[in-house]
Amino acid sequence: SLFRPVLIYTPGISPNNVTTRVLDQEWAETIAVNLTGAMYCSRALLLRMRELGYGRLIFLTSVLSRIAVPGTLSYSVTKAGLSAMAKVIAVENALKGITSNAIALGYFEIGIIKAVPDDYLNNNVIPKIPLKRLGDPSNIVSAINFIINSEYLTGSVIDLNGGMVSG
């Protein structure tokens, strides 16, 4: 079959509250968007992928699933959950031609970072990035293409973050 299904799960919302101020509603919404949606999409596609003997699932997670930043509880926990989801789906489908991986993104010139004030970005975020700059979105595309074309890569979390954290 020419149909080669690929799921790239990108949604993410990031309410900003320290743990003692996390609202029930924002917790539930963050889990729904960042984690439950990924499970629904995966579950919906996996049966067809298994029939075809081919599939790629790629979950965009975050460096915040690997480092602790105050005020990011809901976001960080759900993004860590996506990494675990990728690993479980990988082992469940390893012999079916399906791979499942995650990319833990650092700070890029796209998305949620646009809401961060420039002074905070320049004084608190960029100095912590060894490459001393935000990532170019083309690097995300390159990593996705690498995963799609790598039949032996499964159950992995790729750190794409300018050197902030690895392993």
Side-chain angles (χ1 to χ4, degrees):
S1 171
L2 294 177
F3 184 54
R4 313 270 286 169
V6 175
L7 169 66
I8 304 167
Y9 195 79
T10 65
I13 58 173
S14 182
N16 192 359
N17 263 329
V18 294
T19 304
T20 55
R21 293 189 180 159
V22 171
L23 304 174
D24 292 352
Q25 178 72 14
E26 83 187 8
W27 177 258
E29 286 175 359
T30 307
I31 290 173
V33 171
N34 297 5
L35 201 51
T36 305
M39 189 278 296
Y40 287 158
C41 291
S42 300
R43 187 176 65 190
L45 287 173
L46 276 167
L47 287 176
R48 183 69 175 129
M49 288 176 171
R50 290 169 72 95
E51 288 172 5
L52 292 169
Y54 179 91
R56 300 289 184 263
L57 293 95
I58 303 168
F59 303 97
L60 296 190
T61 71
S62 171
V63 68
L64 297 185
S65 69
R66 299 165 83 70
I67 61 172
V69 174
T72 67
L73 181 73
S74 304
Y75 182 77
S76 297
V77 166
T78 56
K79 292 300 184 170
L82 281 178
S83 297
M85 186 180 298
K87 290 174 181 293
V88 171
I89 291 171
V91 299
E92 289 176 347
N93 295 280
L95 299 178
K96 301 294 183 184
I98 299 165
T99 67
S100 176
N101 296 283
I103 304 172
L105 299 174
Y107 299 100
F108 282 79
E109 296 169 356
I110 192 169
I112 291 172
I113 201 74
K114 297 292 187 188
V116 176
D118 283 345
D119 61 331
Y120 185 84
L121 201 61
N122 292 326
N123 295 322
N124 299 85
V125 175
I126 293 175
K128 293 179 183 170
I129 304 170
L131 287 177
K132 301 299 181 215
R133 61 181 169 82
L134 299 178
D136 185 299
S138 67
N139 288 283
I140 301 169
V141 174
S142 295
I144 288 169
N145 285 327
F146 172 74
I147 291 170
I148 291 170
N149 293 311
S150 300
E151 66 181 34
Y152 200 67
L153 182 69
T154 194
S156 293
V157 179
I158 294 174
D159 290 307
L160 189 60
N161 55 46
M164 291 181 71
V165 62
S166 65

